[in-house]
Amino acid sequence: MMRFEGQTVFVTGAARGIGEVLATAFAAEGAHVAIADIDGDAASTAARRIGGRAIGLRCDVAERASVESAMAQTQKQFGGMDILVNNAGLHTRHYNRPVTVVPQDAWERMLKVNVLGLVNCATMAAPLLRQRGGGVILNMSSVSGFDLSTAYGVTKLAVRGLTVALAEELAPQNTRVNAIAPGLIHTDTIVGDMDEGATEAFIEQRQLIRRAGMPTDLTGAALFLCSGEAGFITGETLMVGGGFARRV
Ligand SMILES: NC(=O)c1ccc[n+]([C@@H]2O[C@H](COP(=O)([O-])OP(=O)(O)OC[C@H]3O[C@@H](n4cnc5c(N)ncnc54)[C@H](O)[C@@H]3O)[C@@H](O)[C@H]2O)c1
């Protein structure tokens, strides 16, 4: 029996990058997956790539009505929802800059997507998870939410805070809430966004494991936290960053 047989997973921002790799890994372990992304066409393409019973849905996490409708479609298609992966996030250098340098409109959009988007999805998913007797929420923080040198990092600290607050709120309904905090992960968005040599410098200065992190480096931790093996873990954020920051 596969680990997620008969379960339905709703992954936001899953048309590409980390979200797509996580959705693919859940599907390979027997789950039905809903690929929810603001880019609806890319979501459908990713769903076709994953195959099986994956569905692609247009969903802007910043808009509660959009989340509600995507989750209703998932419910209709698969009969319920067991796991929510809050992966959608804005993280290019337009956002990943010092607090006072980020323009107001970028701050507002980033808060709406990275912070309120997570609140919207958790709020709409909670009753659906409850209907199944409980479920799991996995949030995507970042090592930037530990080192806190940028506006983006502050939104990822908020993700850690929401992970604790939601774990406490949803524990009585048997829903666990955890997060992973990836280090630098090679996705097309990141590769296209970083200056020549910046990735190598980051690996040299900020990692103990001297190689590029790949989306597949996250799947073990992500699927573990969503599985029954992590049944006694809630409210935690697990760093997966190649030994980032040599933190004590
Ligand atoms: N790549 C990294 O190095 C890294 C490191 C730490 C954390 N993260 C976090 O992991 C997550 C995924 O990162 P990635 O590199 O795969 O990103 P990506 O840019 O490759 O993919 C993000 C996806 O989210 C979608 N999206 C954007 N806004 C949305 C919205 N409002 N509603 C729904 N979908 C939306 C995009 O269309 C895109 O398909 C983000 O939350 C990011 O902050 C990434």
Side-chain angles (χ1 to χ4, degrees), residues 11 18-19 25 39 54 63 65-66 82 90-91 100-101 104 126 137 141 159 180 191 204 211 213 239 241:
V11 188
I18 293 168
D39 184 344
E63 302 299 331
S66 173
D82 303 278
L90 300 175
H91 64 96
T100 68
V101 174
Q104 186 181 354
I137 298 178
S141 182
V159 170
I180 57 176
V191 172
E204 177 69 23
R211 67 164 176 81
M239 273 212 212

Side-chain angles (χ1 to χ4, degrees), residues 54-124:
I55 53 168
L57 302 166
R58 191 196 171 271
C59 172
D60 179 357
V61 297
E63 302 299 331
R64 201 170 278 207
S66 173
V67 173
E68 185 172 21
S69 123
M71 288 191 184
Q73 285 181 66
T74 303
Q75 178 92 347
K76 195 166 158 223
Q77 182 82 17
F78 298 131
M81 192 193 295
D82 303 278
I83 297 168
L84 164 66
V85 180
N86 282 314
N87 166 77
L90 300 175
H91 64 96
T92 52
R93 68 173 116 191
H94 189 52
Y95 307 97
N96 203 3
R97 290 193 277 171
V99 170
T100 68
V101 174
V102 171
Q104 186 181 354
D105 61 340
W107 253 116
E108 286 175 359
R109 183 64 187 161
M110 180 168 56
L111 286 170
K112 253 192 133 177
V113 175
N114 295 11
V115 182
L116 292 175
L118 191 152
V119 173
N120 288 336
C121 291
T123 304
M124 301 314 300

Side-chain angles (χ1 to χ4, degrees), residues 16 18 37 59-61 87 91 140 152 156 183 185 187 189:
R16 57 179 68 78
I18 293 168
D37 202 287
C59 172
D60 179 357
V61 297
N87 166 77
H91 64 96
M140 204 58 74
Y152 165 73
K156 292 299 182 176
I185 301 295
T187 57
T189 302

